[in-house]
Amino acid sequence: MKKLSSVLVLLVLLSVTATLVTAQTQAPAQPADRFIDVNGLRIHYVDWGGDGKPLVMVHGLDRVARTFDHLATRFTSRYRVVAIDMRGHGDSGWDPKGRYLVEDHVGDLEGVVQQLKLRDLVLWGNSTGGRVVQVFAGKHPHLVSRVISEDVGPERPRQIADNYAKRVQQEQAGWASEEELLAQLKKTNPRMSPAVLEPYVRYGTKRRADGRIEWKRDPQLVNGFVATDLWRFVRNIKSPILYILGGRSTIVPAETQDELRKTLPNAQLITVPDVGHYPSDERPDDVVRLVDRFLAGENVGK
């Protein structure tokens, strides 16, 4: 009888342990807001936790760290995911001198990596964030294991810079509510799901004194959104790098793609058909599959 009781107790303990392990495995990662002082500015970042290799995500112009929410949760079981608000964006500080060149953002990323003691980095950036991670990888090849750059190469044409300045001016009036802005974004970005757009509005806006909603951004960001040539950094990238291009985008022209293939032997370029400048926003499942294969060392073009 005592043996039977012991067996029953053991079975109960094993069952409870298995339940706890399963719950821990299935529990979604919870983002933690953190701040760090870098280059005289208070930089905000979102730390998703995890004990794996660091995966650092850098957003595009006008966006914020939380616009990676729909992607970050897919990697937290294998990586320590960190997403930063670039200077002048979100909850990070504004530079009083309006220093917003790609190189300025790279300097902040350098400070974050140094203070958090991150090594063997996987870097993922889209739009301007893609330029930032390319430059960082070229400057610090010993710190980087792999890079993902969404729909940007080493060059930013003058026309793109001018278009951004016009948009900032047009949006000065702001919006009556988050709902109004969200409705506008859904209309202009019909391929993006609420899972992408809602965090963008929730975490990327603030209420003004007059009650209207505006983006959390420094108007002086236009100072850094200028014609840019970053080849001097990109040529020094040693790690494997995946360029994910939008099939409906013209940001990375064919001649730039050819030059990247010639210059970087470890570069892979893949075009996602029928998407624009943010492939991972429009077709996140497809992009995550590509990234998973790339991180596993596969040739995603095959």
Side-chain angles (χ1 to χ4, degrees):
M1 189 68 178
K2 290 183 178 179
K3 289 183 178 180
L4 181 59
S5 298
S6 299
V7 171
L8 289 174
V9 170
L10 180 60
L11 289 174
V12 170
L13 289 173
L14 289 173
S15 176
V16 170
T17 301
T19 301
L20 290 173
V21 170
T22 300
Q24 291 174 354
T25 303
Q26 294 177 347
Q30 296 299 317
D33 292 297
R34 306 194 190 283
F35 294 86
I36 194 168
D37 291 328
V38 176
N39 297 321
L41 296 176
R42 194 171 186 238
I43 298 297
H44 168 251
Y45 68 96
V46 179
D47 194 337
W48 291 85
D51 298 320
K53 180 185 298 188
L55 168 57
V56 180
M57 312 184 88
V58 187
H59 62 78
L61 198 70
D62 279 355
R63 298 189 165 216
V64 292
R66 296 301 297 264
T67 52
F68 282 113
D69 279 10
H70 66 297
L71 301 172
T73 54
R74 305 187 188 213
F75 293 90
T76 50
S77 63
R78 295 164 288 158
Y79 296 89
R80 178 190 175 185
V81 180
V82 172
I84 69 172
D85 279 348
M86 292 194 296
R87 60 169 58 197
H89 296 79
D91 295 320
S92 285
W94 293 10
D95 187 271
K97 296 183 179 179
R99 294 170 294 192
Y100 293 114
L101 296 175
V102 169
E103 294 89 332
D104 296 316
H105 297 300
V106 173
D108 294 339
L109 179 57
E110 290 170 337
V112 171
V113 168
Q114 181 180 19
Q115 292 194 44
L116 297 183
K117 296 180 171 58
L118 303 178
R119 296 292 184 272
D120 201 18
L121 295 163
V122 175
L123 298 174
W124 185 341
N126 49 34
S127 194
T128 295
R131 301 189 200 279
V132 171
V133 299
Q134 288 177 74
V135 172
F136 185 99
K139 291 182 67 177
H140 307 282
H142 62 291
L143 294 177
V144 179
S145 63
R146 289 185 181 268
V147 182
I148 301 108
S149 176
E150 277 193 69
D151 204 54
V152 285
E155 304 152 352
R156 180 193 288 142
R158 175 78 259 169
Q159 181 182 359
I160 295 175
D162 291 342
N163 289 341
Y164 175 67
K166 292 176 184 177
R167 180 159 62 84
V168 170
Q169 186 175 16
Q170 292 169 354
E171 294 177 345
Q172 286 181 344
W175 295 267
S177 64
E178 290 185 4
E179 291 73 22
E180 181 184 68
L181 174 56
L182 185 59
Q184 177 182 313
L185 291 175
K186 287 179 178 178
K187 184 176 180 179
T188 55
N189 302 276
R191 299 167 183 266
M192 295 184 188
S193 73
V196 174
L197 296 177
E198 288 173 2
Y200 186 15
V201 173
R202 178 181 176 186
Y203 297 103
T205 62
K206 62 182 179 181
R207 190 172 295 279
R208 299 191 314 213
D210 63 2
R212 293 184 68 79
I213 296 295
E214 66 178 0
W215 292 116
K216 287 182 181 178
R217 69 179 176 203
D218 185 349
Q220 293 191 89
L221 282 168
V222 295
N223 296 345
F225 203 71
V226 296
T228 301
D229 184 336
L230 303 169
W231 278 106
R232 65 192 184 280
F233 302 109
V234 173
R235 288 192 181 94
N236 295 322
I237 295 175
K238 306 301 181 187
S239 62
I241 179 168
L242 175 63
Y243 289 92
I244 303 175
L245 310 179
R248 290 187 286 106
S249 172
T250 59
I251 300 294
V252 187
E255 55 269 25
T256 300
Q257 296 180 39
D258 291 341
E259 188 64 25
L260 285 168
R261 291 188 181 96
K262 294 175 184 176
T263 305
L264 300 176
N266 290 323
Q268 298 186 52
L269 286 79
I270 188 77
T271 299
V272 180
D274 200 30
V275 300
H277 187 43
Y278 285 91
S280 63
D281 283 359
E282 295 189 36
R283 291 173 60 177
D285 293 340
D286 292 341
V287 169
V288 167
R289 279 193 289 269
L290 287 171
V291 170
D292 277 336
R293 291 178 57 198
F294 171 68
L295 295 179
E298 296 183 31
N299 185 337
V300 300
K302 294 183 178 180

